[in-house]
């Protein structure tokens, strides 16, 4: 069995950990097969696509790999609770994105929350990008920063800085890109949920709802206790 390869990035001025794991799952082909068999439905929480149920064994089987990074790279050694985990496919055309979907976002405000993206497209495809908000300098948004960040962003929208109908792929007038991680088959990406980020979806991306052709990933959100 080939062992996973770990790469740690300390992102931006805040030097937040983003870990890339190549060779994440022992049998990624079995996951793709499972995705072909489950029904998908529109996603909640502003995800621009559809989601389907994961095999029940997925998180348990990956827990040993995650344990190798959550302590030494994130300083989180407590119990891991799964908040949400599913197959996900980006399907929304750029012209149909709402304003929130055209901006970098964070998934949660707590330091105990960790996000996982596991890329399962055979043709690699679009990865994930991380950003700094230019006017505040924020790269993370916690509970203390949230009122400042969203207040400033709302003011910028009122003054005409509404983003065009497109996915955030590179620098914009409001946000500076700090890192892009390319998608690779059976690569996983693990990062604090309060990091500003977006799927790095190219303008010419194939946004198929077919798991065999679309941007198939596993997305999971974890709550991890401290040291």
């Amino acid at each position: 069995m080939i062992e996973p390869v770990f790469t740690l990035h300390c992102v931006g001025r805040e030097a937040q950990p983003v870990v890339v794991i190549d060779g994440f799952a022992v049998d990624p082909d079995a996951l793709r097969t499972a995705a072909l068999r489950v029904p998908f439905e529109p996603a909640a929480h502003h995800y621009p696509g559809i989601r389907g149920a994961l095999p029940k064994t997925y998180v348990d089987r990956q827990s040993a790999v995650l344990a190798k990074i959550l302590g030494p790279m994130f300083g989180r050694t407590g119990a891991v609770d799964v908040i949400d985990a599913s197959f996900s496919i980006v399907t929304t055309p750029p012209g149909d994105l709402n304003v929130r979907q055209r901006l970098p976002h964070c998934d949660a405000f707590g330091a105990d929350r960790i996000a996982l993206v596991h890329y399962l497209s055979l043709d690699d495809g679009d990865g994930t990008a991380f950003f700094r908000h230019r006017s505040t300098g924020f790269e993370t948004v916690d509970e203390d920063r949230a009122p400042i960040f969203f207040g400033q962003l709302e003011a910028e929208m009122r003054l005409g800085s509404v983003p065009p109908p497109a996915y955030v792929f590179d620098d914009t007038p409001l946000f500076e890109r700090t890192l892009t991680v390319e998608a690779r088959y059976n690569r996983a990406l693990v990062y604090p949920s309060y990091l500003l980020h977006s799927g790095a979806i190219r303008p010419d991306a194939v946004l198929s709802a077919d798991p065999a052709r679309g941007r198939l990933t596993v997305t999971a959100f974890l709550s991890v206790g401290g040291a």
Side-chain angles (χ1 to χ4, degrees):
M1 183 179 69
I2 299 175
E3 290 293 321
V5 176
F6 303 90
T7 304
L8 172 64
H9 299 271
C10 295
V11 178
R13 296 170 186 163
E14 297 184 27
Q16 290 289 324
V18 170
V19 179
V20 177
I21 310 172
D22 288 301
F24 184 57
V26 173
D27 192 355
D29 293 348
L31 289 169
R32 284 183 56 82
T33 299
L36 294 172
R37 296 173 178 167
V38 300
F40 281 75
E41 59 185 25
H45 307 300
H46 298 279
Y47 182 84
I50 55 178
R51 286 186 168 151
L54 279 173
K56 294 181 179 179
T57 57
Y58 177 85
V59 175
D60 288 341
R61 288 180 176 176
Q62 302 310 129
S63 60
V65 179
L66 290 172
K68 293 180 180 180
I69 65 169
L70 292 176
M73 298 183 188
F74 289 87
R76 315 300 300 182
T77 57
V80 177
D81 294 320
V82 180
I83 305 300
D84 184 48
S86 62
F87 287 121
S88 302
I89 306 174
V90 172
T91 58
T92 304
D96 292 341
L97 295 172
N98 62 43
V99 172
R100 183 169 178 177
Q101 292 168 330
R102 306 175 203 170
L103 295 164
H105 65 280
C106 59
D107 300 314
F109 299 141
D112 64 322
R113 300 288 282 274
I114 301 293
L116 163 72
V117 181
H118 183 189
Y119 304 108
L120 289 170
S121 297
L122 292 176
D123 296 330
D124 297 331
D126 299 307
T128 303
F130 298 87
F131 293 89
R132 175 186 304 115
H133 185 223
R134 294 183 187 273
S135 60
T136 62
F138 294 165
E139 298 168 354
T140 60
V141 181
D142 59 15
E143 292 180 355
D144 292 333
R145 287 181 170 185
I148 302 169
F149 172 72
F150 289 111
Q152 180 66 15
L153 197 58
E154 181 180 351
E156 290 168 333
M157 298 293 107
R158 289 200 306 269
L159 292 173
S161 294
V162 178
Y167 287 95
V168 190
F169 185 76
D170 205 341
D171 292 346
T172 75
L174 300 184
F175 292 88
E176 178 184 358
R177 187 178 62 177
T178 56
L179 175 71
T180 296
V181 176
E182 295 182 352
R184 293 286 183 270
Y185 184 52
N186 201 26
R187 167 178 281 181
L189 180 64
V190 185
Y191 55 91
S193 290
Y194 59 12
L195 261 175
L196 287 166
H197 66 281
S198 176
I201 312 300
R202 295 166 297 177
D204 60 349
V206 175
L207 300 177
S208 172
D210 181 354
R213 297 181 60 244
R215 184 183 182 267
L216 177 64
T217 64
V218 171
T219 55
F221 305 100
L222 314 173
S223 175
V224 187

